[in-house]
């Protein structure tokens, strides 16, 4: 069965510093996708970044980058130059294809607090 | 551009009452549609997904049901709500090989 593990319930970072949020996954599928979403206190889920299992390079989107280590089955999110607005829950998710749909399996999330 | 609308934003219902949450998507055709539930302080649990009109798959046994009467409309329902149905409900859409995009969610409280 596919599983996402986020071992950090909470993380703290100083404004303008970088922070890494950990994510490990478990799957026997050769093809899969990994996602990170941000959930502010208002509740909406905001897509941040995507990494395909066959992608050779780590994904980057502005201040977000994904440190993809396939052999270790890890997909850590790196946020550079943290801002106060980055304070939120962050969820790692893996896509599995089944029955024509593309389902996401989510981790339990990491609460990031950015301190001024 | 594509947008997703989900309503209501908050809902307080008594135990045993019916439920209807609606989600609509604009700007895309034949999307995959999803209903998730998030318990307080937890990750998202997939409840239902749909790959087309009238095609609904349930992920977990529960007190809820889903319907897709139109291509871009997804409805979550219950005939009689239970206390355990409280939570934050999120609708999402996707097309093949693209990320899922979520609505703003509905906070459902059962009294």
């Amino acid at each position: 069965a596919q599983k996402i593990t986020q071992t950090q319930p909470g993380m703290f970072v100083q404004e303008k510093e970088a922070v890494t949020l950990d994510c490990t996954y478990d799957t026997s599928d050769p093809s899969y996708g990994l996602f990170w979403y941000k959930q502010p206190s208002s509740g909406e889920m905001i897509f941040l970044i995507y990494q395909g299992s066959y992608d050779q390079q780590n994904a980057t989107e502005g201040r977000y980058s994904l440190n993809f280590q396939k052999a270790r089955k890890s997909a850590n999110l790196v946020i550079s130059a943290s801002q106060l607005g980055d304070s939120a829950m962050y969820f790692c998710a893996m896509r599995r294809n089944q029955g024509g749909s593309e389902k996401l399996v989510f981790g339990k999330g990491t609460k990031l607090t950015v301190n001024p | 551009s594509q947008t997703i609308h989900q309503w209501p934003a908050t809902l307080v219902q008594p135990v045993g009452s019916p439920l209807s949450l609606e989600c609509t998507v604009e700007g895309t055709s034949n999307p995959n549609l999803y209903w998730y539930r998030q318990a307080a302080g937890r990750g998202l649990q997939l409840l239902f997904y749909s790959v087309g009109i009238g095609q609904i798959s349930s992920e977990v046994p529960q007190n809820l049901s889903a319907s897709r009467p139109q291509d871009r409309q997804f409805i979550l329902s219950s005939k009689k709500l239970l206390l355990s149905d409280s939570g934050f409900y999120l609708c999402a859409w996707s097309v093949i090989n693209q990320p899922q995009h979520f609505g703003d969610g509905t906070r459902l409280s059962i009294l």
Side-chain angles (χ1 to χ4, degrees):
Chain A
Q2 296 180 321
K3 185 179 179 181
I4 293 284
T5 302
Q6 294 180 255
T7 57
Q8 305 156 315
M11 288 285 286
F12 294 87
V13 65
Q14 289 297 121
E15 194 177 8
K16 300 181 183 179
E17 292 184 351
V19 63
T20 298
L21 306 184
D22 294 341
C23 172
T24 58
Y25 60 91
D26 187 19
T27 182
S28 57
D29 294 339
S31 176
Y32 50 89
L34 295 159
F35 301 80
W36 277 92
Y37 284 85
K38 172 184 178 181
Q39 187 179 40
S41 58
S42 52
E44 73 269 29
M45 294 287 284
I46 302 167
F47 165 70
L48 295 178
I49 196 166
Y50 165 76
Q51 180 83 41
S53 58
Y54 294 119
D55 293 343
Q56 295 296 316
Q57 292 187 328
N58 288 341
T60 60
E61 289 285 350
R63 293 185 300 110
Y64 304 109
S65 61
L66 201 153
N67 184 1
F68 182 46
Q69 299 188 41
K70 196 169 183 177
R72 295 185 178 182
K73 294 189 174 180
S74 72
N76 298 338
L77 176 70
V78 181
I79 305 175
S80 63
S82 297
Q83 302 173 356
L84 295 178
D86 294 334
S87 293
M89 285 291 292
Y90 288 81
F91 292 94
C92 180
M94 178 167 56
R95 177 174 61 201
R96 55 187 174 114
N97 297 337
Q98 183 176 343
S101 76
E102 299 180 322
K103 304 177 188 179
L104 290 180
V105 176
F106 283 85
K108 293 185 177 181
T110 295
K111 183 176 182 180
L112 177 66
T113 302
V114 181
N115 294 317
Chain B
S1 64
Q2 301 91 351
T3 56
I4 180 169
H5 303 280
Q6 187 180 341
W7 68 92
T10 59
L11 189 60
V12 180
Q13 292 284 97
V15 169
S17 63
L19 173 74
S20 180
L21 302 181
E22 189 163 343
C23 172
T24 59
V25 180
E26 296 178 358
T28 187
S29 296
N30 196 32
N32 291 334
L33 296 173
Y34 309 85
W35 277 112
Y36 289 88
R37 177 168 59 204
Q38 184 179 28
R42 303 291 298 275
L44 274 66
Q45 180 186 36
L46 180 62
L47 301 177
F48 300 96
Y49 69 91
S50 172
V51 300
I53 295 174
Q55 301 178 61
I56 308 295
S57 296
S58 174
E59 283 292 288
V60 294
Q62 59 199 300
N63 183 44
L64 303 169
S65 62
S67 62
R68 185 171 178 173
Q70 300 180 43
D71 181 44
R72 290 169 288 179
Q73 183 185 27
F74 206 22
I75 298 172
L76 184 69
S77 304
S78 174
K79 292 182 179 178
K80 284 187 177 183
L81 285 167
L82 306 172
L83 284 174
S84 58
D85 292 324
S86 292
F88 188 55
Y89 290 83
L90 285 154
C91 180
W93 71 272
S94 72
V95 293
I96 193 76
N97 288 331
Q98 294 297 313
Q100 290 185 19
H101 297 276
F102 289 79
D104 290 340
T106 296
R107 296 194 185 279
L108 176 62
S109 299
I110 311 299
L111 303 179

